[in-house]
RNA sequence: GGGCCCGUAGCUCAAUUGGUUAGAGUACCGGACUGUCGAUCCGGUGGUUGAGGGUUCGAAUCCCUUCGGGCUCGCCA
């Protein structure tokens, strides 16, 4: 008689000693089988955990006979009685104090041998696991992450709901935006030759919500960017998108801190201290060389421009003369300076060259006969300024100094890279587990030397600080934005701003960015129109949900926290998307592939065909 | 687009550095075993060394091309 699998009594992580004696019905997959000739043990797995089921040939010969044939990943239903394990408890399982004595078992669905082993010990490579993601998802470690992601998303929704925010959906088929990342385009059949763009973020829609009187909006929303991937970058990702009307920076930041605190509570069970510390953009750049500092480690940058100005070392004096800076970072003996070898410093220098640095001067401080001296590397060039240099850098005997010289931005970039790598190489211990902070006072604009024009540091709708508005037309470089980034352990986790709500200011900013009135009209006419009708002051923020889950789950790749992620080449190994479409589909859309693209596709199809033929021939 | 690394049984890896018939663990199949729990023991099946070309008496190993994967720079307001 068939077991009613739709009427299970428990999940596989639930049963405890107090359930002993109960008759239960379980369903799930065979995670492991152990056949002793007599007794057969099955580990039954579902989303919630694992329960051991025992089949005894003497008491239940029929069930035992079937149980012997079960293999990994067979889908089964079991009926039996919960029994205490006595001295044979398994401390590794929450259900380890009990087992189910199987009275009956049904095979619901037989499994082929799987392409890799479905357990948390599996060593199968990621590509294979993504190709068979439906099997990978059965692994407890992945289930745990999916659960965490759900819990975090729920905490976020509950929080914003309690704070009076509405979740309102925004279109996925929308309009291509200028600047920013490349858009994913979707052709329109109804309007041949016209394309939708998938949103990089619902930025303008949420601003219009505020102008539309929605007051407070928060949405968990999918966003798309057709750029090259990284471990922490996917072409489609999920944002927690927030916007509030009648607010100043403080109000948004306070609201965000409450949300973040909620995420930490649900994911880690800890209460993070509030308010989060703040650091200005310029201080962060000066001290860490980056606008998203990881302050859990020392190794701060020191400016030594004035000290080395006249030391005679050309690399330094050239940098100073052309208006640049010289900075250094010190590795103290307490931070493992004694473990730095020539091989390590040379390797680091090579890496720095790889990101565009000319090199990286290095030296070491020692106690000499006449006080402090430099002993290696560029020692002889900087020896004359040894004492003041060490004083300025805060270096003492045994410490290493790594220098960067040149344009401020380049020096910051290079020394930040060096700092990050040295932290890894020296395996420095972080001072705390979670370093949450706000970076504020960003400049409104950055000058791009290649294109000879300004770009928005944040985006073109960010408001300038009130006291800087007058400088917009006179000294754009000096204008600071009402923008704020939330940084966690050196990763940007959220970024937002107060928006421009005055039409004239928005026009001025567009002008500064080289967006003509005509262009603005084509691309943002709806925004410019909206700004004519009583737009309230408003602002907001967006967090990368995937990144939050990644950090809170302790994973190193976004692929570990997304159910169906894409590989570095932006393809889905499971579905093999993106794929070609038929000529009919293209014709209907009025699209013709460029000849070189078409040729390449045909070439690829032909070689695939050849492989198939060869395999076929061998079969016969 | 650039740089670096990887590709050998279904899976994870070896192969004495160019030398005989490419091995092991695991999975799978058969057998043994009544307390295991990443079960154990015995036996067996399983290979286009990613693909194509070249060098060589001889290639998994060297060279070229190509495909796929990963990290990274550019890029990602």
């Amino acid at each position: 008689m068939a077991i009613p699998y739709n009427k299970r009594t428990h999940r596989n992580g639930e049963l405890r000693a107090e359930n002993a004696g109960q008759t239960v019905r379980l369903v799930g997959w065979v995670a492991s089988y152990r056949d002793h000739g007599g007794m057969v043990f099955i580990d039954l797995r579902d989303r919630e955990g694992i329960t051991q089921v025992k089949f005894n040939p003497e008491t239940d010969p029929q069930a035992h006979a079937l149980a012997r044939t079960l293999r990994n990943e067979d889908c089964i239903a079991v009926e039996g009685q919960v029994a205490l394990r006595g001295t044979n408890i398994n401390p590794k399982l929450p259900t380890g104090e009990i087992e189910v004595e199987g009275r009956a078992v049904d095979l619901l669905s037989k499994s082929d041998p799987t392409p890799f082993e479905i357990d948390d010990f599996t060593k199968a490579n990621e590509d294979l696991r993504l190709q068979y993601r439906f099997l990978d998802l059965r692994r407890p470690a992945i289930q745990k992450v999916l659960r965490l992601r759900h819990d975090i998303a729920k905490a976020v929704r509950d929080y914003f709901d309690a704070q009076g925010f509405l979740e309102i959906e925004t279109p996925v088929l929308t309009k291509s935006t200028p600047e920013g990342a490349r858009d994913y385009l979707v052709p329109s059949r109804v309007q041949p030759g016209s394309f939708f763009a998938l949103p990089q973020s619902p930025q303008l829609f949420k601003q219009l919500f505020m102008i539309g009187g929605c007051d407070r909006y928060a949405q968990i929303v999918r966003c798309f960017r057709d750029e090259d991937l990284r471990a922490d970058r996917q072409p489609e990702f999920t944002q927690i998108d927030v916007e509030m009307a009648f607010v100043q920076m403080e109000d948004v930041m306070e609201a965000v801190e409450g949300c973040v605190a909620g995420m930490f509570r649900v994911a880690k069970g800890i209460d993070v201290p509030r308010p989060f510390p703040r650091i200005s953009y310029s201080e962060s750049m000066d001290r860490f060389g980056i606008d998203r500092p990881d302050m859990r480690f020392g190794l701060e940058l020191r400016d030594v421009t004035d000290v080395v100005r006249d030391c005679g070392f050309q690399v330094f004096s050239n940098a100073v003369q052309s208006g640049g800076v010289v900075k250094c970072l010190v590795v103290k003996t307490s931070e493992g300076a004694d473990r730095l070898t020539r091989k390590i410093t040379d390797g680091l220098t090579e890496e720095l060259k790889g990101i565009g640095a000319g090199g990286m001067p290095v030296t070491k401080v020692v106690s000499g006969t006449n006080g402090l001296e430099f002993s290696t590397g560029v020692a002889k060039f900087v020896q004359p300024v040894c004492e003041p240099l060490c004083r300025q850098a805060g270096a003492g005997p045994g410490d290493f100094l790594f220098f960067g010289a040149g344009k401020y931005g380049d020096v910051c970039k290079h020394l930040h890279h060096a700092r990050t790598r040295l932290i890894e190489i020296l395996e420095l211990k972080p001072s705390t587990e979670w370093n949450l902070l706000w970076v504020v006072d960003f400049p409104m604009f950055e000058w791009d030397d290649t294109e000879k024009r300004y770009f928005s540091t944040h985006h073109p709708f960010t408001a300038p600080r009130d006291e800087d508005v007058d400088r917009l037309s006179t000294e754009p470089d000096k204008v600071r934005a009402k923008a704020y980034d939330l940084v966690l352990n050196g990763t940007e986790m959220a970024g937002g701003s107060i928006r421009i709500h005055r039409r004239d200011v928005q026009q001025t900013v567009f002008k500064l960015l080289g967006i003509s009135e005509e262009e603005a009209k084509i691309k943002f006419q709806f925004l410019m129109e909206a700004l004519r009708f009583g737009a309230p002051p408003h602002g907001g923020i967006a967090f990368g949900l995937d990144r939050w889950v990644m950090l809170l789950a302790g994973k190193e790749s976004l692929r570990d926290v997304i159910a169906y992620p894409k590989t570095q080449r932006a393809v889905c190994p499971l579905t093999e998307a993106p794929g070609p479409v038929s000529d009919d589909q293209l014709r209907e859309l009025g699209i013709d592939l460029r000849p070189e693209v078409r040729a390449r596709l045909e070439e690829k199809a032909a070689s695939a065909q050849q492989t198939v033929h060869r395999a076929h021939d061998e079969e016969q």
Side-chain angles (χ1 to χ4, degrees), chain A residues 85 120 190 226 239 295 345 359 365 370 384 546 568 592 605-606:
Chain A
R85 285 220 218 167
D120 288 341
V190 181
D226 188 4
Q239 236 174 238
M295 297 173 69
T345 57
V365 186
N370 304 315
D546 313 274
Q568 192 164 42
D592 213 355

Side-chain angles (χ1 to χ4, degrees), chain A residues 268-461:
Chain A
K268 292 286 164 187
I270 55 174
D271 282 304
V272 291
R274 292 162 64 186
F276 304 159
R278 298 181 189 185
I279 184 173
S280 74
Y281 170 86
S282 58
E283 183 183 347
S284 177
M285 292 301 287
D286 283 345
R287 289 172 58 191
F288 302 98
I290 187 82
D291 61 359
R292 44 179 174 81
D294 189 338
M295 297 173 69
R296 296 172 300 163
F297 305 95
L299 266 58
E300 293 192 20
L301 278 45
R302 297 296 181 95
D303 190 292
V304 294
T305 312
D306 289 334
V307 181
V308 302
R309 186 181 298 274
D310 303 311
C311 74
F313 184 30
Q314 268 205 342
V315 174
F316 291 171
S317 48
N318 286 352
V320 176
Q321 269 161 34
S322 55
V325 297
V326 180
K327 301 184 79 146
C328 74
L329 79 81
V330 180
V331 178
K332 316 278 295 175
T333 47
S334 59
E335 289 161 334
D338 52 319
R339 278 182 285 135
L340 286 172
T341 60
R342 183 67 192 266
K343 194 177 165 191
I344 292 172
T345 57
D346 281 356
L348 204 48
T349 304
E350 282 310 306
E351 270 185 54
L352 268 283
K353 284 179 183 168
I355 61 168
M360 183 170 58
V362 183
T363 191
K364 186 185 180 181
V365 186
V366 292
S367 305
T369 44
N370 304 315
L372 296 180
E373 288 176 13
F374 290 126
S375 72
T376 60
V378 294
K380 60 178 174 177
F381 301 109
V382 286
Q383 198 64 59
V385 291
C386 181
E387 290 284 349
L389 182 51
C390 287
R391 207 178 314 121
Q392 176 70 16
D399 297 349
F400 266 78
L401 273 66
F402 296 83
F403 294 95
K407 280 197 286 192
Y408 180 80
D410 292 338
V411 170
C412 284
K413 178 183 163 189
H414 300 150
L415 288 183
H416 165 252
H417 184 92
R419 176 173 184 264
T420 310
R421 290 287 294 128
L422 283 166
I423 287 167
E424 284 171 18
I425 291 165
L426 297 170
E427 294 173 337
L428 295 185
K429 291 264 178 297
S431 58
T432 61
E433 193 178 358
W434 305 105
N435 176 217
L436 273 167
L437 58 104
W438 289 106
V439 180
V440 296
D441 292 340
F442 283 86
M444 274 282 280
F445 308 105
E446 284 164 28
W447 179 256
D448 184 288
D449 238 4
T450 339
E451 296 203 23
K452 301 288 176 212
R453 72 175 185 91
Y454 286 107
F455 277 86
S456 299
T457 304
H458 192 60
H459 60 50
F461 318 109

Side-chain angles (χ1 to χ4, degrees), chain A residues 198-206 223-225 239 241 542:
Chain A
L198 304 182
Q200 295 176 25
S201 84
Q203 180 60 36
L204 292 176
F205 290 112
K206 68 176 172 176
C223 302
F224 307 85
R225 291 178 189 176
Q239 236 174 238
D241 197 43

Side-chain angles (χ1 to χ4, degrees), chain A residues 33-170:
Chain A
Y33 65 93
R34 297 175 291 278
D35 184 349
H36 286 256
M39 215 69 86
V40 168
F41 299 96
I42 300 284
D43 283 348
L44 189 60
R45 179 190 62 229
D46 65 15
R47 200 181 76 187
E48 306 298 333
I50 284 176
T51 301
Q52 173 166 291
V53 186
K54 176 180 73 175
F55 294 93
N56 187 326
E58 282 162 17
T59 57
D60 302 278
Q62 219 179 342
H64 174 264
L66 177 55
R68 291 199 80 175
T69 70
L70 295 175
R71 291 296 176 268
N72 289 342
E73 301 314 317
D74 287 347
C75 183
I76 63 172
V78 170
E79 274 177 352
Q81 203 164 25
V82 181
L84 292 171
R85 285 220 218 167
T87 55
N88 295 310
I89 63 163
N90 182 354
K92 291 182 189 170
L93 292 180
T95 59
E97 280 186 76
I98 56 93
E99 63 192 348
V100 171
E101 293 174 341
R103 302 274 177 259
V105 57
D106 265 357
L107 177 61
L108 304 177
S109 184
K110 185 75 188 164
S111 173
D112 279 352
T114 52
F116 59 91
E117 283 140 72
I118 314 302
D119 57 40
D120 288 341
F121 309 106
T122 195
K123 288 175 183 162
N125 76 46
E126 191 180 21
D127 192 41
L128 188 78
R129 290 195 287 112
L130 292 182
Q131 194 185 334
Y132 293 92
R133 189 61 157 174
F134 48 86
L135 294 177
D136 200 32
L137 292 176
R138 289 183 189 168
R139 296 168 49 226
I142 304 251
Q143 289 289 334
K144 202 175 145 194
V145 173
L146 295 180
R147 161 69 60 161
L148 175 69
R149 188 171 175 130
H150 164 86
D151 289 342
I152 289 171
K154 182 173 187 313
V156 168
R157 285 204 168 94
D158 288 348
Y159 171 81
F160 283 115
D161 175 60
Q163 300 288 319
F165 287 73
L166 299 185
E167 178 154 10
I168 318 172
E169 286 160 282
T170 46

